[in-house]
Amino acid sequence: MLRILRDRFRARVQASLTRAGLTLPWWGALCASAVSFVFTVVALVQRDALLPPEPIALAGLIVIAPSVIWTITNWIMPWVRMTALIIAASVLLIEPVLPDFAPLLLLVAATEAGSVLRTTWGIAIVTIAGEAVLVAAGIWGGLIGGPVYMVAILLGLSGGLMVRWYTRVLDAERGNRDASRDKALLAERQRIAREVHDVVGHSLSITLLHLTGARHALQQDRDVDEAIEALTEAEQVGRAAMADIRRTVGLLADSPSGSAPLPGVEDIATLVERTRSAGLAVRYTQEGDLGRVGASDGLGLYRIVQESLVNVVKHAPGATAEVRLNAGRSGLKLIVSNTLPATVRRAAEDGSGLAGMAVRAAQLGADLSAGPSGRQWVVQVTVPGAKP
């Protein structure tokens, strides 16, 4: 119960500070109020036999009033509080004592002014008013040690300005941290969107090839077995794509949705075989040790091959394609080429998948080139110095 009440009180105080535009922690405002109360009580006890009850009650009421207003309305008014502290100190210094705690109220006012007031002239007014009260108390009230109290006010002002500086630095750090977090979240979402785009684009292209084959088998050859085989392959591709999408989208959740790993460089051969079985004439050759390829590099190369084959299906139907991968000590080299009829060359050049492949290559630190070469469209990726 006590913990709940404490949390509610803390939230209420912090909300009132935020409403007033103050970035101080909740305990800072409470400590300042507690210190001013202690100084006031000690100063009043010191003057119990020197001042009539009316000035003593007035000084105490003036110091308490801003906190009472804060408690009732949940509004913090820095100017009202600082004015109250200066007026209360002025009333108490009608009869100075030795040592005197009343001037310390002026120190609290200067410290709060330096930490919370937004204008230079406001800080100057509070500081000068406090110094003027001390000067007047020294000349007409006989305050002893006035210069020491005046220096203490300046020290309090310095402390308040330091708190202001640290608060601004903290706010800037929090802003940078939030911006970095938002940027990282955006980058992660974009990466996942590219993953989903690649998976969906490839699976739909392969599925359409199988469906086209099934339709031809039924319309032209009346071959039910061949049509069933094509439809079965399309179903398997669709199920595999759904599993891949679930794994990819699961990255958005706090916990992974499955234990199956994302595809890597070893899966390129399976990808090519699946595309070939769907009806695209594609050949795959691989040289070197695939163990040299790291997981992130392998995923990037897999997606580039996937997007390249999708582009072949979309922009060059009936073409023949070749995928060549070389994993050597000096790095990785991937080449995906296909025959390119002149009638579809411009469509291939304008394919939106090239932008995604460029992003993939940039993430790998690789060089990417894509364009026509003679009667072929060639995509070449070079990853220098790839490591396992």
Side-chain angles (χ1 to χ4, degrees):
M1 185 64 180
L2 292 177
R3 182 176 181 180
I4 295 176
L5 294 176
R6 182 195 64 186
D7 292 341
R8 289 180 178 176
F9 177 74
R10 177 189 302 178
R12 188 170 185 268
V13 173
Q14 196 65 59
S16 62
L17 290 171
T18 303
R19 186 184 299 111
L22 305 179
T23 56
L24 296 174
W26 66 275
W27 50 265
L30 293 183
C31 289
S33 299
V35 169
S36 61
F37 287 157
V38 171
F39 289 165
T40 302
V41 170
V42 175
L44 292 176
V45 172
Q46 289 177 324
R47 290 164 174 79
D48 186 31
L50 299 177
L51 286 176
E54 292 80 4
I56 292 179
L58 177 62
L61 180 61
I62 290 173
V63 173
I64 295 174
S67 298
V68 173
I69 296 174
W70 180 17
T71 303
I72 296 175
T73 65
N74 201 27
W75 280 91
I76 295 179
M77 294 171 284
W79 268 109
V80 174
R81 174 171 165 76
M82 295 170 200
T83 303
L85 291 174
I86 294 174
I87 294 175
S90 301
V91 173
L92 294 174
L93 287 175
I94 295 174
E95 287 290 343
V97 296
L98 185 68
D100 202 338
F101 272 71
L104 298 182
L105 297 177
L106 303 174
L107 182 150
V108 174
T111 303
E112 293 186 3
S115 59
V116 303
L117 293 185
R118 302 178 182 178
T119 59
T120 303
W121 63 265
I123 298 174
I125 288 176
V126 174
T127 305
I128 293 174
E131 300 285 11
V133 170
L134 292 177
V135 171
I139 295 175
W140 291 290
L143 176 66
I144 299 176
V148 176
Y149 292 123
M150 294 176 71
V151 173
I153 289 178
L154 295 179
L155 292 176
L157 174 63
S158 300
L161 293 175
M162 187 175 297
V163 171
R164 173 196 294 269
W165 184 83
Y166 276 114
T167 302
R168 289 182 175 178
V169 170
L170 181 60
D171 289 342
E173 182 180 353
R174 287 174 178 171
N176 293 334
R177 184 179 58 192
D178 292 342
S180 299
R181 184 184 64 230
D182 294 341
K183 185 177 180 181
L185 288 175
L186 178 60
E188 180 65 10
R189 290 181 183 276
Q190 290 176 338
R191 184 183 71 82
I192 293 174
R194 286 191 297 271
E195 295 286 344
V196 174
H197 167 269
D198 292 342
V199 171
V200 172
H202 175 76
S203 60
L204 285 179
S205 298
I206 301 303
T207 300
L208 288 175
L209 283 177
H210 283 300
L211 294 177
T212 301
R215 179 171 58 84
H216 284 222
L218 291 175
Q219 287 181 339
Q220 299 177 6
D221 303 331
R222 305 295 181 179
D223 190 339
V224 177
D225 292 337
E226 183 179 350
I228 292 177
E229 182 180 354
L231 292 175
T232 303
E233 288 290 337
E235 180 184 6
Q236 292 176 353
V237 170
R239 292 183 182 278
M242 287 300 299
D244 204 355
I245 291 174
R246 280 194 294 268
R247 289 197 301 270
T248 304
V249 176
L251 297 175
L252 289 170
D254 294 334
S255 60
S257 60
S259 59
L262 291 172
V265 68
E266 299 86 357
D267 299 301
I268 293 179
T270 303
L271 173 66
V272 172
E273 179 60 31
R274 191 168 58 199
T275 307
R276 183 189 301 115
S277 64
L280 177 65
V282 55
R283 191 160 54 98
Y284 176 59
T285 58
Q286 180 262 318
E287 298 178 1
D289 182 11
L290 296 184
R292 300 178 181 276
V293 185
S296 59
D297 291 344
L299 176 60
L301 293 174
Y302 179 92
R303 295 305 187 198
I304 291 175
V305 173
Q306 190 177 53
E307 183 63 37
S308 298
L309 295 179
V310 169
N311 288 340
V312 174
V313 174
K314 290 193 299 184
H315 301 301
T320 59
E322 182 180 6
V323 179
R324 288 175 288 169
L325 176 63
N326 188 306
R329 293 184 177 273
S330 59
L332 300 171
K333 188 172 184 180
L334 171 69
I335 299 177
V336 183
S337 60
N338 63 275
T339 56
L340 184 62
T343 56
V344 296
R345 177 173 299 177
R346 180 167 298 276
E349 291 175 351
D350 296 337
S352 60
L354 294 181
M357 286 191 286
V359 173
R360 295 280 185 185
Q363 292 175 341
L364 300 178
D367 297 326
L368 170 71
S369 62
S373 177
R375 296 290 296 170
Q376 286 193 328
W377 180 271
V378 179
V379 175
Q380 180 170 308
V381 182
T382 303
V383 185
K387 297 178 181 180

